[in-house]
Amino acid sequence: MLIGAAAALLLLLTGRIAGVSGMFATVVRIADAGPPWRLAAAFVIGLPVGAIVASTLIRQPQIEVTSSVPVLIAAGLLVGFGTRLGNGCTSGHGVCGIGRLSFRSIAATLAFMAAAAATVFVTRHLMGA
């Protein structure tokens, strides 16, 4: 609910879509266009700060990392590449785009959710067999 509320507020107050990959691209200056740098930096910094505040006030999550660091780094780079290739991420397409009934965002969300489901199926059921 907080992600949706934050996305709605950003859209209402600034006219900008709350896509994390676009905000991050603006912060590291690899985006051609986007929000003002200060707005993007505040948004990106607010993500982990908000998680820390929430986990402090609510509860500490139980996190267990079962993959190796090189696999996690490769996965992160592939996700980053995919978000640039797809011109957006789950927050931009999934939360904001679907909320605006954007056909392009609906198609993108269906594509990356199908790819995620296929990846889980392959890694859990076919690679372990």
Side-chain angles (χ1 to χ4, degrees):
M1 287 188 346
L2 289 176
I3 292 172
L9 279 173
L10 187 67
L11 184 60
L12 288 172
L13 296 175
T14 68
R16 301 268 180 193
I17 301 298
V20 175
S21 62
M23 295 285 191
F24 185 77
T26 297
V27 170
V28 297
R29 302 196 191 277
I30 60 171
D32 296 331
W37 187 88
R38 287 183 181 180
L39 174 66
F43 188 89
V44 170
I45 290 167
L47 292 171
V49 170
I52 291 166
V53 169
S55 69
T56 301
L57 296 176
I58 300 169
R59 64 179 171 86
Q60 293 292 326
Q62 296 276 346
I63 298 174
E64 182 180 341
V65 178
T66 58
S67 294
S68 67
V69 172
V71 168
L72 293 173
I73 291 171
L77 290 172
L78 286 171
V79 168
F81 175 75
T83 59
R84 294 299 290 169
L85 182 66
N87 210 12
C89 60
T90 53
S91 59
H93 284 303
V95 175
C96 299
I98 290 176
R100 293 181 305 115
L101 300 177
S102 164
F103 177 75
R104 186 177 126 209
S105 290
I106 292 168
T109 303
L110 288 172
F112 57 68
M113 292 304 288
T119 300
V120 170
F121 179 79
V122 168
T123 57
R124 299 280 169 110
H125 300 290
L126 300 182
M127 293 180 75

